[in-house]
Amino acid sequence: EVNADKSRTPDKNLDLLNLINGAKETVQNMKRDWENVPNQNQDFAPWAEARMTQIVNFFGSMGGDGIKAFKDFKGMPLDKRYLPSGYDVRNKLYLRGGSWAGNRSSVISAGRSAVIAEINAIVKNRTTNPPAADTAWNNLVSALRVPDGATRMNVSIAHFSATQYDVDHMDTLSVHWQSSGGNNGGDTDRWDLSKTSKLRYITQRDNLKRGKGSYVGWVGKGFTSTYAEGGATNAKKIDGQSFLDGPGGSPI
């Protein structure tokens, strides 16, 4: 196709052919190049994915030169846009903008009152009305609110005062992010997880028992956010920083 196009000068066509052949050689030599990296500690698949993303972006630019075989690459969203290094997904895409601070305060206030009420019911009834005390104790157990070191027979307000409580998201945010609900959708789905109805007041002890998981460092084609160019589709930047074409790669 390049040779058949007479609208460009022979030198321009030669330059394009050299670039295409360079891309071909890059693909053919990827395994060798990966093996030759000193102290290679990255699996081949993600390393090759980053290299292929660069090649696809390069072909996209060739579409701008009128080469029909490559024109469809130009401007099309990447399957993955990698986040800037160190980007804090939890705080910047889930908690920020989702009324987290105010909702957290409301959950703490309601949770504290509920725990104190259950403890007072246990203390009041454990001798005179054991069934009522059992009900209150079971409420603490099922809600993951039993104070540290407490039992049904000794629990007191002092136990409560000595216990650290947390506000926990009922849905694990990292799991939501990795399930494509977070990394391939808009802000609303992420922010909804911080509604008061989806938060709970539990002991730090129980909170730490929950696996929090990790956040994959990329977003899918359908990802949008008000922090990524005001909610634009296929945004190239997030919080003023460029998305990358691969792990530790170049700005897209």
Side-chain angles (χ1 to χ4, degrees):
E1 182 184 350
V2 172
N3 283 327
D5 190 336
K6 304 305 181 183
S7 66
R8 289 183 293 267
T9 66
D11 286 345
K12 177 62 175 179
N13 278 350
L14 181 60
D15 288 342
L16 291 173
L17 290 171
N18 286 336
L19 290 171
I20 293 170
N21 285 326
K24 177 181 177 181
E25 290 177 5
T26 298
V27 173
Q28 291 174 332
N29 296 329
M30 275 201 291
K31 190 65 179 293
R32 185 195 65 191
D33 292 345
W34 173 75
E35 292 172 343
N36 289 338
V37 173
N39 302 315
Q40 178 61 266
N41 59 6
Q42 187 177 21
D43 291 340
F44 178 69
W47 184 92
E49 181 179 5
R51 182 70 65 89
M52 287 300 297
T53 300
Q54 293 170 354
I55 294 171
V56 168
N57 286 342
F58 160 71
F59 283 157
S61 69
M62 296 189 75
D65 289 312
I67 302 175
K68 295 177 182 178
F70 299 133
K71 68 178 182 179
D72 287 340
F73 285 111
K74 192 170 182 64
M76 293 186 70
L78 300 176
D79 287 337
K80 295 179 180 179
R81 285 168 285 163
Y82 286 80
L83 292 164
S85 177
Y87 192 85
D88 189 339
V89 171
R90 182 178 188 273
N91 283 308
K92 290 189 174 183
L93 294 179
Y94 280 93
L95 304 188
R96 177 177 55 164
S99 301
W100 158 252
N103 293 345
R104 178 178 180 274
S105 296
S106 296
V107 170
I108 290 173
S109 178
R112 285 177 55 87
S113 297
V115 173
I116 290 171
E118 301 289 9
I119 293 174
N120 286 336
I122 295 168
V123 172
K124 177 182 177 181
N125 294 298
R126 62 183 156 207
T127 301
T128 59
N129 187 356
D134 286 342
T135 297
W137 175 256
N138 290 335
N139 288 341
L140 290 177
V141 172
S142 63
L144 304 180
R145 291 174 171 177
V146 174
D148 295 344
T151 67
R152 175 188 173 283
M153 297 307 298
N154 72 4
V155 66
S156 66
I157 295 300
H159 283 104
F160 169 72
S161 298
T163 300
Q164 177 65 49
Y165 284 80
D166 291 344
V167 174
D168 175 55
H169 288 85
M170 295 179 187
D171 296 305
T172 303
L173 301 187
S174 61
V175 172
H176 179 265
W177 176 255
Q178 295 182 33
S179 70
S180 293
N183 65 27
N184 211 26
D187 287 326
T188 300
D189 287 342
R190 292 185 289 270
W191 293 349
D192 279 353
L193 299 186
S194 292
K195 289 181 175 179
T196 54
S197 61
K198 296 186 178 182
L199 300 174
R200 59 182 178 175
Y201 183 74
I202 64 175
T203 65
Q204 187 177 81
R205 178 187 72 252
D206 286 298
N207 191 22
L208 292 175
K209 290 179 182 177
R210 298 191 67 203
K212 299 302 181 182
S214 58
Y215 298 84
V216 295
W218 49 266
V219 301
K221 288 183 178 180
F223 172 85
T224 59
S225 174
T226 188
Y227 305 113
E229 298 181 357
T233 58
N234 194 27
K236 302 300 186 293
K237 292 187 176 183
I238 186 165
D239 282 311
Q241 296 179 278
S242 294
F243 282 105
L244 307 177
D245 58 13
S250 300
I252 61 176

